[in-house]
């Protein structure tokens, strides 16, 4: 358990974010907020709603997506952020998006208590330099794209999630749920993590080395 | 496989919806939309962004939530809806919300090809009368609250999800991911369901009778 318990959470959003990368962890934290006085800031480039289907990414259908409302811009973040969550998604195939997030993360990280990435959310954190010399993991299907530009990161090939100091990195998409439940267990205690897990009727992976997807996607040393 | 394949999806939202109830299924469908030309309408009482933390529900922290932008109101839904998704959430403890959803569902159901509920999303569908004489399931922690007003529904106590005709009902929260993957398998084929499952690195439950949570929450016949 951490003392004092963190209260101020932030979520970084960008057009083309992967919905479950964000809403897996957020759903768990939404329920945690029933018993703990948490706050959430949603940060984006502007205050316009942020869509899951980015027009800049032709892969996603322009007619199927969801838009989430930010509360702050990267230029004017809240001063007291303690925990920052960074989802991945196809929108990160746009280099300007990665660079904007990386600049924000570079400035924000020294003041944070924890940073959590899910899926290719590791890419802007790697681009910021924060992951240099650190153990981290990322999406297994996108492994080569996500890791090859960052040889100074100690990428862990087979992992559901990886913890290195205050940096928690998750594997692809649904791994974010296991990541955040492990984080809740570490910070708020095992009883709370169990309560949240059975509350959302989730069959949790508690072993961070669980990773059949590394083999499925042929991610090797 | 269904022919022709459904293209027009709708999501019903209300203040205090459970984020993962909606975004588990939606994330899978977002990725499906890369290969299939789907559209999504997001329906709510008004076009104002819909928050996960309803002010009408004191359980959820007013400072921790996410707001999603609707595309249509219940009064003016798209004419061509084929598949409707109904999430649950604490916001349904407000009877006026349940009644508004029930009235919409009663009118919409006869024109739909499929309706999918997750968690207590079964409650407004039961209230609409559509579930009478049908097999259905719901959240296990909220079982008594969700089922006892609707004795004419054939509630299935132990189930990850239940299919009765064109009505697919899921158990609590994360069960929505297994529900939608089973739906994709039925409608779009097993190969597509497997592709989406490994793409989101999900350890899918393929057995609809998988349900340790019925015992955990003491749900019995």
């Amino acid at each position: 358990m951490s003392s004092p318990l963190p209260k101020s959470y932030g979520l970084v959003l960008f057009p083309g974010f992967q919905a479950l990368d964000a809403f897996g962890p957020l759903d768990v934290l939404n329920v945690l907020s029933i018993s703990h006085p948490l706050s959430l800031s949603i940060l984006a480039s502007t205050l316009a709603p942020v869509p899951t289907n980015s027009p800049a990414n032709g892969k996603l259908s322009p007619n199927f997506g969801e838009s989430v409302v930010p509360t702050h811009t990267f230029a004017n973040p809240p001063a007291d952020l303690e925990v920052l969550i960074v989802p991945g998604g196809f929108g990160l195939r746009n280099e300007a998006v990665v660079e904007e997030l990386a600049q924000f993360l570079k400035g924000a990280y020294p003041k944070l208590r924890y940073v959590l990435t899910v899926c290719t959310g590791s890419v802007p954190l790697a681009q910021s330099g924060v992951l240099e010399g650190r153990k981290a993991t990322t999406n297994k299907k996108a492994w080569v794209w996500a890791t090859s530009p960052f040889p100074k990161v100690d990428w862990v090939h087979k992992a559901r999630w990886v913890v290195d100091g205050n940096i928690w990195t998750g594997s692809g998409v649904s791994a974010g749920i296991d990541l955040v439940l492990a984080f809740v267990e570490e910070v708020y205690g095992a009883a709370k993590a169990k309560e949240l897990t059975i509350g959302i009727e989730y069959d949790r992976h508690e072993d961070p080395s669980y990773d059949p997807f590394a083999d499925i996607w042929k991610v090797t040393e």
Side-chain angles (χ1 to χ4, degrees), chain A:
Chain A
M1 307 257 286
S2 293
S3 182
L5 294 172
K7 290 184 176 179
S8 177
Y9 283 73
L11 171 76
V12 166
L13 282 190
F14 51 88
F17 73 98
Q18 181 90 18
L20 191 54
D21 289 13
F23 282 101
L26 287 176
D27 190 81
V28 169
L29 297 169
N30 285 348
V31 182
L32 179 66
S33 80
I34 296 173
S35 58
H36 289 71
L38 308 181
S39 67
L40 177 68
S41 303
I42 300 181
L43 299 116
S45 190
T46 74
L47 292 176
V50 183
T52 55
N53 51 344
S54 162
N57 189 298
K59 283 192 89 170
L60 294 169
S61 169
N63 300 318
F64 201 103
E66 307 85 45
S67 290
V68 175
V69 183
T71 63
H72 293 75
T73 62
F74 296 134
N76 288 295
D80 67 345
L81 281 180
E82 294 173 282
V83 184
L84 198 58
I85 300 166
V86 188
F90 286 114
L92 296 175
R93 304 294 167 132
N94 181 326
E95 288 179 17
V97 169
V98 173
E99 186 54 30
E100 184 180 23
L101 295 178
Q103 287 303 319
F104 172 70
L105 293 169
K106 189 175 180 176
Y109 176 72
K111 291 172 275 182
L112 294 173
R113 289 177 63 189
Y114 302 97
V115 61
L116 281 58
T117 70
V118 180
C119 194
T120 52
S122 59
V123 169
L125 195 61
Q127 176 81 3
S128 77
V130 166
L131 286 183
E132 282 189 15
R134 303 289 205 125
K135 287 188 192 304
T137 198
T138 188
N139 182 292
K140 299 301 150 44
K141 186 177 180 183
W143 185 264
V144 173
W145 173 79
T147 64
S148 57
F150 309 109
K152 293 181 181 170
V153 180
D154 184 5
W155 294 108
V156 181
H157 299 71
K158 203 172 178 112
R160 189 70 171 163
W161 73 89
V162 167
V163 184
D164 186 331
N166 65 354
I167 302 174
W168 295 60
T169 53
S171 191
V173 195
S174 73
I177 306 173
D178 294 315
L179 169 83
V180 80
L181 287 167
F183 175 78
V184 167
E185 180 164 321
E186 172 75 14
V187 175
Y188 299 87
K192 180 55 68 174
K194 184 176 181 186
E195 177 197 323
L196 298 180
T197 303
I198 63 175
I200 64 166
E201 299 190 22
Y202 185 61
D203 185 17
R204 175 185 170 198
H205 288 289
E206 300 188 41
D207 175 3
S209 72
Y210 164 83
D211 191 5
F213 304 102
D215 291 333
I216 288 172
W217 294 112
K218 299 183 171 45
V219 172
T220 52
E221 301 277 347

